[in-house]
Amino acid sequence: MLLPDYYEFCCRVKLIAGHDALEKIPELLAAKGARKPLIITDKGVAGAGLVDIVSRAAGKLDPNLVNDSVPPDSDLKVVHELAKLYQENACDALIAVGGGSVMDTAKGVNIVVSENATDLMAFSGVGALKRPLKPLVAVPTTAGTGSEVTQVAVIKDHDKHLKMAFGSYFLLPDIAILDSRMTLTMPPFITAMTGMDAMSHAVEACYCLQKNPLSDAHALAAVSLLYAYLPQAVNNPSDRDARLSMAIGACLAGMAFSNSMVGLVHNLGHATGSVCGVPHGLCMAILLPYGLEYNLHKREEAIAGLLLSMAGPHIYKETPEEQRAQKVISLIRKLNDDLHAKTGGRHARSLSEVKDRDGKPAVPREALPQIAQAALLDGASVYNPEETDYEDNLMVLEAAWEGKPLDRAKVKKG
Amino acid sequence: MARVREISSGRKPLKRAYVAMFLWFTGRAIQAAAKADNQVKSEFEALPENFTFSLGCLPDGPWMVVGKKNGVVKYLGGKLPEKQHVRLAIKNLDAGFLILSFQESTALATTRNRLVTDGEVPYALAVIRILDIVEVYLLPKIIASLAVKRYPKHWSVARKLKGRIAIYTRALLGL
Ligand SMILES: NC(=O)c1ccc[n+]([C@@H]2O[C@H](COP(=O)([O-])OP(=O)(O)OC[C@H]3O[C@@H](n4cnc5c(N)ncnc54)[C@H](O)[C@@H]3O)[C@@H](O)[C@H]2O)c1
Ligand SMILES: [Fe+2]
């Protein structure tokens, strides 16, 4: 492996993992000197009874300080409303119980209350934060985004149809609790797509420009856990060990990409989510094979290396060197096919297969140019190994819409 | 054993002069490219009126400032304005020399945290695209290939040739 001559790696999140990790919360909060946490969640998570489990394990939570108003993909306005609630009640910490939408909302709220800001937008981009924020405890209920250990928050401005990214080491939560009870209730369809989000983090971490030996170590460990346990967690939702393994896999993937950053898959995925409202995980599942194909000529060795983590030493050895990268791509496609079958078709494999709530196609072909354009506004492109312009974006989106492999001869090379 | 040394940019007159000269010329070339290259032109058209950005070295320069007023893109000299939309700041003069003498691509410099971007992301991305195009015009292929992720082989010969002549002439004359 080529060692970069300079890199940074930071993951200073205290991690508690286990089948009974939640019980540790009171002690951890006390150590932070926090007495009055605001609990942020969403209706799906609260409806699944997860806040009750946290409440039972962590000692009674004040029902007035539990708020479930987070919408999918988070929301700029909700962030400001929750910040107001925090300030009016003189809270001194935040507990996020939910998936990426909830955890990222909590990060946004934390920026507003810690900086006494009137507009969260003033802190978008990388490096705008200059000092530590209030204590934040992240309790992920999906095994996907890894937001519990990332320095990133993605918050949507639903009025402008734009997903905004925030990056800073100060956005790393103080504490992350991985408890298998939190993901047992996740339906197979959500398990599948959020699991593929985690997979996309691990895989993109292996080929993006800021990769380094430490991010690689985390990413490869993540790939092997996720690849082994995702089908198991979908098949048997109440398998506690599979759930905990997925939680740890997603967390490792988060640690990896938070330092290596992500590329084309997230770049186009954020844009597809912004323009058509497709859930993030589904975008990732569909686009992941294309990210690999598009960057293959620049990152063949790194991609080929993934085969060992996915398929094990036997298949790795049996596969001729020049076919390994291609094999990785076909295994990812196969995984998507299996998840498609196991979720009664809800796990879409192409953009044309994605349905909205009313069962209508969510991504009309005519929307692809708009998505390709929106991707030019997203920072993930910087970290992608190969350049991407409007036409490149459109070419990849069209292939992903049809669900056909990318014609690699058409990828422009320098 | 290496001892820690105070590094002051003031004591590197040659590097400083090179970086300053490069920035001066790039600033004028951007102004030129905004007229001579359609892609740079449309990137600027999409940016708001009075859009201003700068590129330079921390802590005390040199800097290059470019802005758009009444639809016209102009090199605004080396003095940082009070307010600007995007600032691309290179960590120090040494890193500036590395990047601006094209021993390190802008993308790699970003990933190595040597180039710090301030401002809204969509604007910053537009500035990076503009800089990449201008570098391709200014530099011979062998050097530009190091400075950008993908050398645009797919540009037409006409675009490369005509653009290069127009941009060099305009930049030298300050048009
Ligand atoms: N910060 C980061 O590093 C990062 C990384 C990737 C993605 N993201 C962002 O995260 C968001 C997506 O997060 P997500 O994929 O976790 O989904 P999500 O948080 O939007 O949740 C999806 C749905 O699943 C439900 N749900 C969650 N956990 C459940 C459980 N245990 N049981 C039953 N239902 C449950 C929720 O109520 C919701 O309806 C996107 O906005 C994406 O951009 C952030
Ligand atoms: Fe993601």
Side-chain angles (χ1 to χ4, degrees):
Chain A
M1 185 180 60
L2 232 79
L3 286 184
D5 53 10
Y6 178 94
Y7 61 89
E8 296 183 8
F9 188 94
C10 176
C11 185
R12 50 176 171 235
V13 180
K14 170 142 189 165
L15 203 83
I16 320 287
H19 298 302
D20 54 359
L22 292 166
E23 277 70 7
K24 192 87 179 174
I25 292 179
E27 187 189 326
L28 294 164
L29 278 178
K32 289 271 164 206
R35 296 188 173 162
K36 210 173 176 194
L38 175 67
I39 293 88
I40 298 179
T41 186
D42 68 21
K43 301 217 159 49
V45 171
L50 301 182
V51 177
D52 297 337
I53 299 178
V54 175
S55 189
R56 248 177 279 134
K60 270 260 154 286
L61 305 172
D62 178 352
N64 295 320
L65 295 180
V66 177
N67 188 292
D68 65 2
S69 61
V70 177
D73 291 341
S74 190
D75 175 70
L76 199 55
K77 281 196 212 116
V78 172
V79 165
H80 283 286
E81 283 160 21
L82 288 170
K84 208 161 145 227
L85 186 67
Y86 181 104
Q87 281 157 336
E88 282 169 359
N89 287 283
C91 293
D92 53 13
L94 291 155
I95 303 181
V97 184
S101 301
V102 168
M103 289 187 281
D104 287 5
T105 301
K107 288 179 179 179
V109 173
N110 207 358
I111 295 176
V112 177
V113 299
S114 302
E115 291 287 337
N116 239 326
T118 45
D119 183 13
L120 176 65
M121 277 311 293
F123 293 90
S124 80
V126 177
L129 291 168
K130 305 288 181 221
R131 54 184 169 205
L133 309 180
K134 306 283 184 208
L136 168 61
V137 181
V139 185
T141 65
T142 58
T145 68
S147 184
E148 68 276 12
V149 287
T150 70
Q151 45 161 320
V152 183
V154 187
I155 291 167
K156 189 162 173 177
D157 183 336
H158 287 262
D159 295 337
K160 286 195 195 151
H161 291 282
L162 209 63
K163 278 188 140 184
M164 280 130 4
F166 300 76
S168 162
Y169 288 138
F170 297 121
L171 284 177
L172 286 165
D174 300 271
I175 296 155
I177 314 267
L178 307 181
D179 191 306
S180 56
R181 286 170 286 177
M182 292 292 99
T183 48
L184 288 173
T185 49
M186 226 193 331
F189 162 60
I190 297 179
T191 305
M193 67 174 182
T194 53
M196 285 307 288
D197 181 25
M199 183 68 91
S200 75
H201 295 154
V203 170
E204 287 220 284
C206 285
Y207 67 60
C208 276
L209 286 180
Q210 207 161 283
K211 80 196 231 69
N212 60 66
L214 286 163
S215 67
D216 278 351
H218 288 78
L220 292 173
V223 168
S224 56
L225 278 170
L226 297 169
Y227 189 74
Y229 287 101
L230 179 52
Q232 219 164 301
V234 170
N235 277 341
N236 184 5
S238 56
D239 181 338
R240 283 155 43 106
D241 292 325
R243 290 297 196 181
L244 192 57
S245 304
M246 281 302 293
I248 295 165
C251 177
L252 282 163
M255 290 174 180
F257 98 79
S258 175
N259 290 283
S260 68
M261 293 296 146
V262 281
L264 177 71
V265 177
H266 276 78
N267 187 198
L268 296 181
H270 290 154
T272 310
S274 306
V275 175
C276 299
V278 181
H280 178 71
L282 210 46
C283 298
M284 295 300 103
I286 295 167
L287 291 164
L288 183 53
Y290 298 94
L292 289 163
E293 285 171 329
Y294 187 81
N295 290 303
L296 189 62
H297 60 287
K298 287 220 159 166
R299 284 287 192 259
E300 177 155 9
E301 197 185 329
I303 295 171
L306 294 171
L307 187 59
L308 185 60
S309 309
M310 289 166 81
H314 184 68
I315 293 187
Y316 182 78
K317 228 176 81 210
E318 296 288 285
T319 312
E321 207 176 317
E322 67 284 359
Q323 289 171 23
R324 284 177 188 155
Q326 202 54 57
K327 177 93 181 163
V328 167
I329 297 170
S330 54
L331 286 182
I332 299 269
R333 284 217 163 86
K334 165 104 183 17
L335 179 59
N336 272 331
D337 284 339
D338 292 348
L339 296 172
H340 176 82
K342 282 172 194 157
T343 56
R346 288 189 75 188
H347 185 84
R349 294 157 302 179
S350 64
L351 292 175
S352 58
E353 269 182 7
V354 184
K355 300 273 188 308
D356 65 12
R357 253 169 231 176
D358 313 320
K360 288 205 214 75
V363 187
R365 192 167 195 148
E366 306 80 72
L368 299 185
Q370 197 191 339
I371 300 173
Q373 195 68 44
L376 298 177
L377 308 181
D378 182 89
S381 58
V382 173
Y383 303 94
N384 194 64
E386 184 55 283
E387 187 63 63
T388 54
D389 59 22
Y390 170 79
E391 280 133 35
D392 303 320
N393 292 342
L394 192 58
M395 174 185 71
V396 174
L397 287 166
E398 274 174 349
W401 194 85
E402 289 177 2
K404 285 197 194 130
L406 194 64
D407 181 354
R408 291 195 34 244
K410 288 209 185 122
V411 176
K412 281 184 267 165
K413 300 173 183 97
Chain B
M1 217 169 76
R3 262 182 300 152
V4 181
R5 210 156 30 102
E6 277 274 307
I7 298 179
S8 116
S9 50
R11 269 196 259 131
K12 292 179 179 136
L14 267 180
K15 271 189 184 160
R16 204 183 164 86
Y18 173 87
V19 170
M21 185 198 70
F22 175 86
L23 289 173
W24 173 81
F25 196 73
T26 307
R28 291 171 53 125
I30 293 171
Q31 173 182 320
K35 299 197 188 88
D37 181 86
N38 284 335
Q39 201 183 338
V40 175
K41 202 178 191 172
S42 65
E43 289 284 0
F44 271 114
E45 274 162 11
L47 292 166
E49 179 59 20
N50 289 326
F51 181 84
T52 314
F53 75 91
S54 64
L55 167 67
C57 295
L58 295 171
D60 52 4
W63 294 96
M64 163 213 95
V65 186
V66 172
K68 172 176 147 183
K69 222 180 186 140
N70 301 323
V72 183
V73 176
K74 269 202 148 8
Y75 168 59
L76 300 175
K79 205 166 153 278
L80 279 185
E82 253 169 50
K83 264 192 149 174
Q84 53 185 335
H85 293 81
V86 173
R87 188 187 75 166
L88 295 182
I90 301 170
K91 216 156 61 176
N92 54 46
L93 195 62
D94 284 312
F97 186 75
L98 264 182
I99 297 168
L100 300 177
S101 59
F102 310 104
Q103 297 170 47
E104 182 169 76
S105 76
T106 0
L108 269 185
T110 310
T111 65
R112 288 173 183 170
N113 297 309
R114 286 204 250 270
L115 185 66
V116 184
T117 316
D118 287 327
E120 283 187 37
V121 178
Y123 292 157
L125 291 171
V127 170
I128 292 175
R129 284 194 293 270
I130 290 168
L131 281 172
D132 276 354
I133 296 173
V134 171
E135 278 171 14
V136 168
Y137 279 125
L138 291 188
L139 304 166
K141 177 176 175 189
I142 186 160
I143 299 179
S145 327
L146 296 177
V148 298
K149 277 193 210 170
R150 175 176 69 193
Y151 189 79
K153 273 204 302 217
H154 52 281
W155 282 10
S156 69
V157 179
R159 178 174 179 190
K160 264 184 218 161
L161 217 68
K162 278 206 327 238
R164 188 164 286 161
I165 294 168
I167 287 166
Y168 260 104
T169 324
R170 283 174 178 275
L172 284 170
L173 301 177
L175 292 172

